[in-house]
Amino acid sequence: MTTLGIKDIMNIIPHRQPFLLVDRAEIIEEGKKAVGYKAVTYNEPFFAGHFPTEPVMPGVLIIEAMAQVGAIVILSQEENKGKIAFFGGVNKAKFRHKVVPGTMLRMEVEIIKQKGPIGVGAAAAYDGDVKVAEAELTFAIG
């Protein structure tokens, strides 16, 4: 297992603040599986408008955070270093619980299929042991 801090993550994926949605990650199996973490705070810029009286992390950003963890898995492979993993699609997305300020979002992504530059990852996000979201994410390496 390899543990990555924010600087390590920024050396793998091209995302930067305010759109970098992973604070740290662990590569469980090289090219196959990783777990990422995002400390969701009141200071997130999206909470100013979503929703001011009841702050909730937008589902699309939860999906993006899981996709960033998937990109970490794929782009940490030697043959993909320096490339970009583009979003190709989202299937079977389900949102089960709200993600609010104070949540330590844990995202698990496992690459379940890859053929050439195209692949699919099974992704799930958790607040503690509670699954808050899941999806199948398609990517293309460019």
Side-chain angles (χ1 to χ4, degrees), residues 21-141:
L21 299 172
V22 183
D23 298 328
R24 65 184 173 90
E26 299 164 342
I27 297 175
I28 306 300
E29 186 179 340
E30 184 81 25
K32 185 75 173 158
K33 185 174 184 178
V35 178
Y37 301 89
K38 166 70 176 157
V40 181
T41 71
Y42 277 105
N43 297 329
E44 307 296 342
F46 48 81
F47 284 139
H50 197 270
F51 302 99
T53 60
E54 187 177 345
V56 176
M57 185 174 184
V60 69
L61 292 181
I62 298 169
I63 295 286
E64 174 63 28
M66 292 189 297
Q68 289 180 18
V69 174
I72 290 167
V73 175
I74 292 302
L75 298 178
S76 63
Q77 293 176 306
E78 193 60 42
E79 65 269 21
N80 294 327
K81 287 188 178 176
K83 296 181 181 178
I84 295 177
F86 293 99
F87 227 146
V90 179
N91 291 307
K92 302 177 185 172
K94 291 190 185 334
F95 301 96
R96 302 184 180 283
H97 294 278
K98 295 186 289 187
V99 174
V100 298
T103 299
M104 176 55 76
L105 194 61
R106 183 180 86 250
M107 299 151 292
E108 299 179 1
V109 180
E110 183 172 358
I111 305 305
I112 57 174
K113 188 181 340 179
Q114 187 172 0
K115 185 171 183 178
I118 307 297
V120 177
Y126 299 86
D127 178 0
D129 291 332
V130 177
K131 186 184 285 187
V132 298
E134 62 187 299
E136 215 175 69
L137 308 174
T138 301
F139 61 87
I141 299 169

